[in-house]
Amino acid sequence: NAGVTQTPKFRVLKTGQSMTLLCAQDMNHEYMYWYRQDPGMGLRLIHYSVGEGTTAKGEVPDGYNVSRLKKQNFLLGLESAAPSQTSVYFCASSPRRVNQPQHFGDGTRLSIL
Amino acid sequence: QKEVEQDPGPLSVPEGAIVSLNCTYSNSAFQYFMWYRQYSRKGPELLMYTYSSGNKEDGRFTAQVDKSSKYISLFIRDSQPSDSATYLCAMINTGFQKLVFGTGTRLLVSP
């Protein structure tokens, strides 16, 4: 009963490097989301997807790109990492029915030096 | 001003105490309200989900929504050390998919 799985769990990058965070869900959910969580700021939405092949910007999209090539996967990319992107990143998913709560993975802790 | 305000705590209580966690919000369009529990180094876990005003009870947990005051609460009865976590409130506009979160209240229950 995996739910939402995020890989990797931890990563340290140098400024300017690129990487991709992977999110996979096995609940057949239509909607998927990427958040970052920073102390005192709470959870902030980066990008989201309402279905395979679709993506949309959230509250803090700059510096990130996403892709949803398969319904069960949602990828978050950092093209040129900056220290300001040091954070804990959470992926979530929810069913297609409106106003449904979201189910979260356990996060990826990313440090950018 | 943030759309959702939540006291960050920490809130420290002895085991067995009744805990009250609260959020206020400014957007009257919010109709669906959630409480998530987040243990250290884990993702948020859905605890309670309510629609509009009123109370909802689930075991030791009661969620209360007062839309007239734009105020929601989570009560925990007979608190346990295992309840020590950060509690996040969240809410959605009607017909909207994006959650708005509070910053979370850290709760510490001592044995």
Side-chain angles (χ1 to χ4, degrees):
Chain A
N1 194 12
V4 177
T5 303
Q6 292 183 235
T7 53
K9 295 189 186 311
F10 306 94
R11 187 73 183 268
V12 178
L13 288 179
K14 294 181 179 178
T15 298
Q17 287 185 318
S18 63
M19 79 161 296
T20 300
L21 280 64
L22 173 64
C23 176
Q25 53 96 3
D26 62 2
M27 297 174 282
N28 201 34
H29 285 170
E30 202 70 27
Y31 301 139
M32 296 187 74
Y33 314 81
W34 275 107
Y35 292 89
R36 60 179 290 173
Q37 187 176 40
D38 302 290
M41 303 292 287
L43 282 157
R44 293 182 292 169
L45 183 65
I46 304 171
H47 285 281
Y48 65 101
S49 168
V50 297
E52 183 178 316
T54 74
T55 62
K57 293 180 179 179
E59 183 185 355
V60 288
D62 293 343
Y64 305 95
N65 56 74
V66 287
S67 64
R68 184 102 181 266
L69 299 179
K70 293 183 178 181
K71 183 178 182 179
Q72 64 267 33
N73 295 337
F74 196 27
L75 278 62
L76 178 71
L78 285 72
E79 289 186 345
S80 180
S84 61
Q85 294 177 305
T86 293
S87 188
V88 182
Y89 292 86
F90 287 101
C91 177
S93 69
S94 65
R96 187 172 191 165
R97 299 185 306 278
V98 295
N99 305 313
Q100 293 300 301
Q102 296 171 17
H103 300 266
F104 285 79
D106 279 339
T108 294
R109 281 156 185 79
L110 184 60
S111 291
I112 300 168
L113 306 177
Chain B
Q1 183 188 3
K2 292 181 180 178
E3 279 190 284
V4 180
E5 299 278 359
Q6 188 174 9
D7 189 323
L11 177 62
S12 296
V13 301
E15 183 175 355
I18 297 174
V19 175
S20 172
L21 302 166
N22 311 295
C23 286
T24 58
Y25 62 95
S26 57
N27 189 344
S28 58
F30 289 137
Q31 297 281 346
Y32 296 83
F33 304 92
M34 281 138 278
W35 285 95
Y36 284 83
R37 178 176 61 195
Q38 186 176 19
Y39 290 115
S40 180
R41 298 190 171 274
K42 290 289 189 180
E45 166 194 15
L46 182 67
L47 206 54
M48 299 289 280
Y49 175 53
T50 58
Y51 168 69
S52 198
S53 288
N55 292 359
K56 182 176 181 179
E57 188 173 319
D58 184 0
R60 297 185 295 111
F61 299 90
T62 300
Q64 192 172 78
V65 175
D66 182 348
K67 291 193 68 184
S68 62
S69 302
K70 297 190 179 68
Y71 189 87
I72 67 170
S73 300
L74 177 70
F75 298 97
I76 307 174
R77 292 184 298 279
D78 187 25
S79 57
Q80 302 294 310
S82 59
D83 294 327
S84 297
T86 296
Y87 290 81
L88 304 162
C89 63
M91 42 202 81
I92 317 177
N93 289 346
T94 302
F96 214 50
Q97 276 305 310
K98 291 186 282 185
L99 288 182
V100 179
F101 284 89
T103 53
T105 299
R106 187 176 171 210
L107 172 66
L108 302 171
V109 181
S110 55

